[in-house]
């Protein structure tokens, strides 16, 4: 990072360049990440779902920087990441039995539970809501980092607002390189889609966002759970906005009709098999063995890769609507919305 205080004589243009451009280090050294986070800075961190853009969740000023870097509207609340359920108890008022059971079974893991917050969590984190999303991520580097820090981390996905989420340090660097000092490199994300968000609505647990923990797994522990359909005028969870996770290219769901592929500027995302008539380097197959976990790991990378090609349109075929397939289809539908 450049030191701006040494440049008091700089012209305005030079000052703007100095504050907006910084050198981004990509490394596996958690001590460097800790030092930046302790001084109120922002660091990209790996998790099993997607990469997060993290800052001290108890420091309102540090959290403000996350919103600025992401260009995320302040009405979209952030999830708080912590190392264990024991630590989480300091941030929330009460944990209902169903949530205790889910934490016991699935943490660390790709699950976020919305709970009533204590005042120690600044309002900016929760966009003024009385609740906070708590998550214990399942990634060795980030768990060590969280264990070493004496504060939790607020972390939305490390991408500009509304764009496809990053599942590798290269994805983060491509868009946020020069804007953040450090990317903690934890390799490719193992799950590849965001956490499943669960909240209590009308006294019952409900799913707010489909994600890396399949509904079927949740139901095996706490019984049947409803999916709370979002009302667009007042989304409970902005991650449920109809259009989100969107590449710049137009996305159309389904296979291209016969002959459409004559136009060579078309891309295709398929589940198991490529289609005829579209150049093979314009196609991405999510899992040639039909494995939904592999497809989830690949879906955001496929959208990003095709978005960077010189094509006009991306056709994307939905995958089987079960297990992780529900979250994959949810992201594809919203990329197409
Ligand atoms: P992101 O980290 O960008 O995937 O976004 C996190 C998602 O969690 C957003 O859609 C938030 O709206 C949602 N979220 C975070 N805190 C809350 C909360 N207190 N109530 C409802 N949704 C929340
Ligand atoms: Mg996001």
């Amino acid at each position: 990072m450049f030191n701006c205080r040494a440049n008091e004589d700089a012209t305005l243009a030079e000052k703007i360049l100095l504050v907006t451009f910084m050198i981004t280090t990509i490394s596996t050294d958690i001590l460097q990440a800790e030092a930046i986070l302790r001084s109120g800075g922002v660091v990209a961190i790996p998790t099993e779902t997607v990469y997060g853009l993290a800052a001290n969740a108890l420091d309102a000023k540090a959290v403000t920087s996350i919103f600025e870097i992401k260009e995320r509207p302040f009405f979209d609340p952030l999830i708080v990441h912590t190392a264990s359920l024991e630590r989480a108890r300091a941030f929330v008022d009460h944990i209902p039995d169903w949530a205790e059971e889910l934490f016991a079974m699935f943490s660390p893991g790709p699950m976020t539970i919305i709970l009533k917050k204590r005042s120690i969590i600044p309002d900016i984190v929760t966009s003024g809501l009385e609740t906070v999303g708590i998550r214990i991520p399942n990634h060795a580097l980030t768990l060590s980092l969280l264990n070493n820090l004496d504060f939790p981390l607020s972390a939305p996905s490390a991408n500009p607002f509304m764009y496809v989420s990053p599942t590798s340090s290269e994805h983060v660097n491509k868009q946020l390189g020069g804007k953040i000092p450090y990317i903690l490199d934890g390799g490719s994300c193992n799950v590849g889609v965001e956490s499943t968000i669960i909240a209590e609505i009308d006294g019952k647990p409900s799913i707010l966002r489909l994600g890396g923990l399949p509904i079927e797994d949740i139901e095996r522990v706490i019984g049947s759970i409803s999916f709370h359909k979002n009302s667009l005028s007042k989304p409970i969870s902005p991650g449920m906005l109809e259009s989100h996770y969107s590449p710049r290219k137009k996305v159309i769901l389904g296979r291209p009709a016969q002959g459409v592929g004559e136009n060579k500027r078309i891309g295709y995302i398929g589940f198991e098999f490529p289609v005829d008539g579209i150049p093979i380097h314009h196609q991405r197959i999510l899992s040639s063995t039909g494995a939904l976990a592999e497809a989830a790991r690949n879906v955001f990378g496929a959208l990003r890769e095709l978005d960077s090609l010189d094509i006009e349109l991306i056709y994307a075929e939905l995958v089987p609507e079960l297990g992780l397939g529900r979250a994959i289809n949810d992201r594809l539908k919203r990329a197409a919305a």
Side-chain angles (χ1 to χ4, degrees):
M1 264 169 92
F2 290 98
N3 182 343
C4 296
R5 260 175 306 177
N7 290 280
E8 267 149 24
D9 297 332
T11 65
L12 183 62
E14 281 165 345
K15 276 182 185 160
I16 289 169
L17 192 69
L18 284 169
V19 294
T20 57
F21 182 80
M22 59 177 82
I23 291 175
T24 301
T25 303
I26 306 176
S27 157
T28 57
D29 177 10
I30 62 171
L31 296 180
Q32 274 193 62
E34 281 171 40
I36 296 167
L37 291 164
R38 284 203 182 92
S39 70
V42 171
V43 164
I45 57 166
T47 80
E48 81 280 34
T49 59
V50 302
Y51 272 71
L53 191 61
N56 179 352
L58 307 184
D59 175 350
K61 196 159 163 256
V63 173
T64 305
S65 313
I66 297 178
F67 285 95
E68 288 167 355
I69 293 166
K70 247 188 96 86
E71 297 178 34
R72 179 172 174 121
F74 286 105
F75 65 71
D76 194 354
L78 307 182
I79 290 169
V80 169
H81 294 64
T82 186
S84 67
L85 179 58
E86 289 327 303
R87 288 197 184 189
R89 294 187 199 282
F91 314 129
V92 298
D93 229 16
H94 165 69
I95 304 182
D97 290 346
W98 63 265
E100 290 275 359
E101 285 173 47
L102 290 180
F103 275 124
M105 200 68 187
F106 299 119
S107 64
M111 171 186 82
T112 297
I113 299 189
I114 308 292
L115 297 164
K116 189 143 188 311
K117 85 173 184 80
R118 287 187 197 251
S119 58
I120 185 172
I121 301 290
D123 287 336
I124 186 168
V125 171
T126 63
S127 306
L129 295 173
E130 287 179 357
T131 53
V132 61
I134 299 287
R135 174 159 136 71
I136 302 165
N138 190 13
H139 190 291
L141 268 187
T142 292
L143 276 177
S144 307
L145 176 70
L146 286 166
N147 264 312
N148 293 352
L149 295 170
D150 58 2
F151 49 81
L153 296 173
S154 288
S157 51
N159 55 285
F161 183 62
M162 300 291 268
Y163 192 67
V164 183
S165 299
T167 51
S168 69
S169 56
E170 300 86 77
H171 291 167
V172 179
N173 192 40
K174 218 164 219 164
Q175 291 180 304
L176 299 184
K179 293 186 178 159
I180 55 176
Y182 198 75
I183 301 172
L184 183 61
D185 190 353
S188 292
C189 299
N190 225 353
V191 173
V193 291
E194 292 84 350
S195 59
T196 301
I197 302 183
I198 310 157
E200 191 163 299
I201 296 175
D202 300 330
K204 277 189 275 176
S206 300
I207 302 227
L208 295 190
R209 177 176 75 184
L210 298 165
L213 181 64
I215 293 192
E216 291 89 336
D217 294 9
I218 294 171
E219 291 191 326
R220 266 195 290 277
V221 177
I222 58 167
S224 107
I225 185 167
S226 59
F227 177 48
H228 193 92
K229 259 277 172 207
N230 185 40
S231 119
L232 266 187
S233 56
K234 197 169 179 286
I236 295 181
S237 179
M240 295 171 72
L241 287 172
E242 194 165 314
S243 172
H244 203 109
Y245 313 107
S246 314
R248 283 171 294 264
K249 304 264 155 67
K250 187 174 164 58
V251 178
I252 296 178
L253 294 179
R255 282 169 181 238
Q258 281 287 327
V260 173
E262 305 290 304
N263 175 350
K264 298 283 185 280
R265 300 187 62 225
I266 282 179
Y268 174 68
I269 296 177
F271 178 41
E272 289 184 78
F273 307 107
V275 289
D276 290 336
I278 294 180
I280 202 71
H281 62 282
H282 289 178
Q283 300 199 45
R284 293 294 178 279
I285 300 310
L286 297 181
S287 172
S288 56
T289 59
L292 289 168
E294 185 182 28
R297 279 197 292 277
N298 288 331
V299 65
F300 283 141
L303 281 166
R304 278 176 178 260
E305 282 171 27
L306 292 191
D307 204 25
S308 70
L309 296 180
D310 180 26
I311 57 175
E312 289 161 9
L313 270 183
I314 301 169
Y315 281 84
E317 198 175 19
L318 295 179
V319 304
E321 181 73 10
L322 68 147
L324 281 173
R326 296 178 209 274
I328 299 170
N329 288 342
D330 170 81
R331 303 306 187 267
L332 289 174
K333 285 177 193 165
R334 282 190 279 157

